[in-house]
Amino acid sequence: MPKFIKNYPLILLCLFIGIMLLPNLDSIQVTIMEARNFITAREMITDSNWLLTTMNGEPRYQKPPLPTWLTAFSALLFGVKSVFGMRLPAILMVMVLGVFTYKLSKFILKSRAHSLINALILTTSFYVIGITIEAPWDIFTHGFMMVAIYYLFLLFKSETVNWKYVFFASLGIAASLLSKGPVSFYALLLPFLIAFSFSFKHKNLKSKIVPFVTILILALVLGGWWYLYVRLEDPHTFEAITSKETANWTSYNVRPFYYYWSFFTQSGIWTIPAFIGLLHPYMKRRAIHYRAYKFTFLWTIIAVILLSIIPEKKSRYLMPVLIPLALNTGFYIEYLFRRFKHLNSKKETLPVYFNFTLIAIIGIVAPFGLGYLFYEQFHNHIIAFSLFGLVLIVISLLILTQLYKKKIKHVFLLTVVFFASIFVFGLPVFKTFTSDNYKPVSRLLKKNETEAIKTYSFGDATPETIWQYGEKIPTIHNLDSIESLPKDSKFGLFTYGLSEENRSFLNSYFNIEKVNHYDLNEAEPDSRQYKDRLTFDYYELTRK
């Protein structure tokens, strides 16, 4: 391993994540969850709603404010319209997660190389990256909790009580609570504590009881003050939101107990190694540090079991499981580093050849398939397409060459680079796939400000619409009386469908002009990704 990697692994890790994710950070369309969070951050800045958080002017206490504060601070630097600025804090949290995964591994395994393997597996796992745009606040709650887990591990394994560990563990848990409530406490910390108790011995356990209780009390105080503040300042809204959120655990998106048991597929390119790493009878004789392997195995399985108990289930809720799973998979990859050249059993070598050959074949075939399916975009953006295809093909051929030579260390690193290249070279290509129907609403606000026209929405505007428009869009809930309508002599109106009855009522009081039809879908209308809720009409109404 090069000297730089050995001497500065954490710098290398952060550089890798930055190069992979930052250049095209604003290429992907803002998702519904991102839009909600970004709107809240924007209204913190524009309306000073730093504690009683809002979305489109309405209370939004479903999510604690810490990630929104960090996003708002970033927006102050880059501008409230900057998608790059809004997304940057989540990417920095990927770095935090990777760094503390490395540090925890290093403390347990005493190996820089093995620890870097674990961190690279984690930061190239599909849903760890995907969660930053699908549900970006999750990366904060689990990232902060990983900081707490690292210092808890140091505390449990130290001969004496180091109050620095107590302080930082408390801060980590508190920050996690202020990011998404008790989610990570249940899904990541609790299984860690159980797995640790079954795998390692606590040193001087009695002397650690008071510090551990101190950690919990400090974490609850530092992480719970916002909940108490909102409860006192706006009790009715807070109780209504809390009741609804709690009810969702047992009545919304209910799935069977076994729903999560394909969890290892969420690691993406590491699916097969992750599955093999979970074969305890196979790995217990091959892991270089059995007790540590037992710990990561139990941590993974217990986390899945605890999540499976909750009736409400979504694929993204599995993201915290990918943290111990990456550590667990690292034992299998490290074993291949040591032993693959000497393996003769086809039962052991075939899964390795299959996994990495499959990745290489996808890399070789994908550019030609994309060129065939998206010929017009390919023709219009030939340089971006060609560069992306060339990079994938070259890396794939190198993977096959190194696999043939049984140089698994090189194959692993090339696979990591393969994953990163999809973001670095692929995102500019996928950005060209925008539908011809795509018609954003981002320029409308400037026009309306020039003409002093305020815009409303009949029915709740979608979060994506509000974010893209650039300011709050008040909602008109009913079109049944003149009192329910704005007093403005002229105003704009977004509608997601006007019935003849609605139109007849409005015609009684207003001259109605349909100005535009907007479609915020970047996907084609016949695509599965196409969402009807992102299409709407815009009218201007002038009083008669």
Side-chain angles (χ1 to χ4, degrees), residues 5-242:
I5 296 177
K6 289 184 178 180
N7 293 337
Y8 305 102
L10 294 182
I11 293 176
L12 175 74
L13 180 63
C14 291
L15 280 174
F16 167 74
I17 295 169
I19 292 170
M20 176 173 65
L21 298 177
L22 292 180
N24 301 301
L25 193 55
D26 57 356
S27 293
I28 300 174
Q29 189 174 23
V30 172
T31 65
I32 183 171
M33 289 299 296
E34 282 188 304
R36 289 169 177 159
N37 297 329
F38 294 172
I39 293 165
T40 302
R42 183 172 68 197
E43 291 180 11
M44 280 183 172
I45 297 169
T46 58
D47 302 339
S48 297
N49 294 332
W50 294 90
L51 293 176
L52 296 176
T53 50
T54 61
M55 186 186 81
N56 202 34
E58 299 293 328
R60 186 173 188 255
Y61 309 143
Q62 291 90 337
K63 300 290 187 294
L66 179 55
T68 319
W69 289 337
L70 297 175
T71 303
F73 294 148
S74 181
L76 286 171
L77 292 175
F78 294 93
V80 293
K81 294 182 180 180
S82 171
V83 175
F84 178 94
M86 291 286 185
R87 282 177 172 162
L88 180 60
I91 303 308
L92 296 179
M93 284 308 301
V94 175
M95 294 182 186
V96 169
L97 186 59
V99 165
F100 279 89
T101 296
Y102 174 90
K103 289 169 73 71
L104 179 63
S105 301
K106 177 71 164 46
F107 184 79
I108 299 172
L109 302 168
K110 315 300 181 189
S111 168
R112 293 180 183 178
H114 194 166
S115 302
L116 190 58
I117 289 170
N118 293 349
L120 288 173
I121 291 172
L122 178 63
T123 53
T124 54
S125 292
F126 166 68
Y127 234 101
V128 171
I129 304 302
I131 206 74
T132 60
I133 60 169
E134 184 173 339
W137 275 209
D138 290 52
I139 196 70
F140 289 88
T141 193
H142 302 310
F144 285 128
M145 189 58 78
M146 197 60 186
V147 175
I149 285 171
Y150 170 68
Y151 285 105
L152 278 171
F153 200 102
L154 296 186
L155 176 67
F156 294 157
K157 296 299 289 182
S158 61
E159 295 287 351
T160 58
V161 175
N162 188 325
W163 288 95
K164 180 180 73 173
Y165 302 156
V166 173
F167 176 72
F168 284 116
S170 301
L171 282 184
I173 297 173
S176 180
L177 291 173
L178 271 174
S179 297
K180 206 175 179 185
V183 169
S184 197
F185 195 101
Y186 179 79
L188 193 59
L189 178 60
L190 182 57
F192 160 78
L193 294 173
I194 297 171
F196 183 94
S197 299
F198 279 103
S199 307
F200 298 106
K201 292 181 179 179
H202 294 266
K203 292 190 176 181
N204 300 324
L205 178 60
K206 289 184 179 179
S207 67
K208 308 292 175 58
I209 294 175
V210 172
F212 183 68
V213 172
T214 303
I215 288 171
L216 294 179
I217 293 173
L218 274 175
L220 287 173
V221 171
L222 296 173
W225 67 268
W226 176 81
Y227 299 90
L228 179 61
Y229 173 82
V230 176
R231 173 67 177 79
L232 294 174
E233 289 293 317
D234 192 359
H236 298 298
T237 305
F238 181 80
E239 288 175 8
I241 290 173
T242 302

Side-chain angles (χ1 to χ4, degrees), residues 251-539:
S251 61
Y252 179 70
N253 253 349
V254 174
R255 297 287 189 271
F257 180 83
Y258 55 83
Y259 180 76
Y260 285 142
W261 288 87
S262 61
F263 64 93
F264 51 88
T265 61
Q266 300 293 346
S267 59
I269 58 173
W270 308 114
T271 294
I272 294 174
F275 175 74
I276 296 174
L278 290 166
L279 300 176
H280 184 271
Y282 173 78
M283 284 301 302
K284 69 179 182 180
R285 293 182 289 108
R286 292 167 173 82
I288 196 167
H289 188 319
Y290 173 68
R291 185 172 291 182
Y293 169 75
K294 177 184 175 183
F295 164 64
T296 60
F297 174 81
L298 288 175
W299 188 3
T300 304
I301 298 303
I302 292 168
V304 175
I305 291 172
L306 290 177
L307 286 169
S308 298
I309 292 170
I310 305 297
E312 183 190 7
K313 296 178 177 66
K314 294 180 182 178
S315 296
R316 61 184 172 87
Y317 292 172
L318 278 173
M319 185 261 156
V321 177
L322 297 180
I323 298 171
L325 180 63
L327 301 176
N328 196 75
T329 306
F331 285 102
Y332 176 61
I333 297 296
E334 190 277 337
Y335 165 70
L336 294 179
F337 278 21
R338 284 185 289 115
R339 297 293 304 161
F340 188 70
K341 276 193 174 183
H342 309 288
L343 294 179
N344 296 315
S345 171
K346 289 185 178 181
K347 289 182 180 179
E348 289 199 81
T349 58
L350 278 178
V352 179
Y353 284 120
F354 176 77
N355 179 73
F356 293 109
T357 300
L358 178 62
I359 292 170
I361 290 173
I362 291 172
I364 293 169
V365 172
F368 297 102
L370 289 172
Y372 175 76
L373 292 173
F374 302 97
Y375 174 78
E376 186 174 340
Q377 289 91 334
F378 174 81
H379 183 74
N380 294 332
H381 301 86
I382 191 166
I383 294 177
F385 261 99
S386 299
L387 182 59
F388 175 53
L390 180 63
V391 169
L392 278 194
I393 291 170
V394 169
I395 295 173
S396 299
L397 291 175
L398 288 173
I399 289 173
L400 293 176
T401 302
Q402 297 303 305
L403 187 60
Y404 177 77
K405 295 178 180 179
K406 289 195 169 185
K407 293 183 177 181
I408 291 298
K409 184 184 295 185
H410 294 167
V411 172
F412 171 78
L413 292 174
L414 285 166
T415 303
V416 169
V417 173
F418 178 94
F419 182 86
S421 68
I422 294 173
F423 290 86
V424 176
F425 299 100
L427 286 183
V429 170
F430 295 126
K431 186 66 177 177
T432 67
F433 294 173
T434 303
S435 168
D436 292 336
N437 295 315
Y438 177 64
K439 194 165 190 177
V441 73
S442 51
R443 296 179 183 176
L444 180 61
L445 177 60
K446 188 174 181 180
K447 168 186 172 296
N448 285 351
E449 286 178 338
T450 302
E451 299 177 8
I453 297 174
K454 188 170 182 179
T455 297
Y456 299 81
S457 174
F458 175 43
D460 292 325
T462 63
E464 295 96 325
T465 305
I466 301 167
W467 162 250
Q468 200 178 97
Y469 182 65
E471 71 169 26
K472 294 187 286 292
I473 304 176
T475 302
I476 298 171
H477 294 285
N478 299 300
L479 292 178
D480 54 6
S481 68
I482 189 64
E483 288 76 19
S484 66
L485 297 174
K487 306 303 180 186
D488 314 55
S489 59
K490 183 176 182 180
F491 60 91
L493 185 67
F494 289 129
T495 73
Y496 295 84
L498 274 181
S499 67
E500 287 300 319
E501 183 180 353
N502 295 147
R503 194 179 297 275
S504 175
F505 170 76
L506 290 173
N507 274 324
S508 302
Y509 303 96
F510 299 94
N511 294 315
I512 304 173
E513 178 188 0
K514 182 177 178 179
V515 177
N516 224 325
H517 175 79
Y518 290 98
D519 188 342
L520 307 190
N521 287 284
E522 292 189 351
E524 295 290 346
D526 58 352
S527 167
R528 279 183 166 185
Q529 284 73 43
Y530 191 86
K531 300 177 179 66
D532 290 333
R533 64 181 183 80
L534 295 180
T535 64
F536 50 90
D537 294 319
Y538 176 70
Y539 295 85

